[in-house]
Amino acid sequence: MTNKKLTKVVDILDKRLAEELVIIDFGNSNPITDMFLICTSKNERHADSLVTYLKEGLEGIYDIYHIDDADLGWIIVDLGDIIIHIFTKEMREKYQLERLWSDQKLIRI
């Protein structure tokens, strides 16, 4: 990974035991973001703690533009060029973003 922000985010999530990290790289095909980073949390409490660790780890380095945690089991963290999707296992299976965006480049970490 050459993107410093992406490397930092992956490092934070990996150290805090996020599972099944996948990057969907849109390249220039998506006008909203460059990539999605999808991961699975052990449960909703773990998902909340991953967001806390992201806030702490990125503070003063990269901006977090928005956090949407209105949907239980799915938290979205918008970093602009990277949108992070933190799912519980059940919600990830339900929404299957990797399948929805299967025409894009997928990178499993």
Side-chain angles (χ1 to χ4, degrees), residues 3 6 23-26 33-37 81-84:
N3 183 317
L6 179 61
I23 297 165
I24 299 176
D25 186 350
F26 295 108
T33 190
D34 294 342
M35 64 188 74
F36 284 169
L37 174 59
D81 55 342
I82 303 169
I83 296 179
I84 304 165

Side-chain angles (χ1 to χ4, degrees), residues 5-40:
K5 185 191 298 185
L6 179 61
T7 302
K8 179 72 172 171
V9 169
V10 168
D11 184 52
I12 292 167
L13 293 172
D14 188 51
K15 284 182 180 177
R16 299 304 181 175
L17 306 178
E19 300 172 345
E20 303 176 67
L21 280 77
V22 172
I23 297 165
I24 299 176
D25 186 350
F26 295 108
N28 295 323
S29 67
N30 189 317
I32 297 170
T33 190
D34 294 342
M35 64 188 74
F36 284 169
L37 174 59
I38 303 168
C39 68
T40 303

Side-chain angles (χ1 to χ4, degrees), residues 35-84:
M35 64 188 74
F36 284 169
L37 174 59
I38 303 168
C39 68
T40 303
S41 64
K42 298 176 188 309
N43 52 49
E44 289 176 19
R45 179 173 277 168
H46 182 226
D48 289 338
S49 70
L50 291 173
V51 173
T52 299
Y53 293 127
L54 284 168
K55 287 179 188 175
E56 292 170 357
L58 300 177
E59 186 176 17
I61 305 169
Y62 300 110
D63 292 327
I64 296 176
Y65 296 105
H66 183 71
I67 297 173
D68 183 353
D69 59 358
D71 204 1
L72 292 177
W74 183 5
I75 300 173
I76 301 169
V77 181
D78 183 356
L79 304 178
D81 55 342
I82 303 169
I83 296 179
I84 304 165

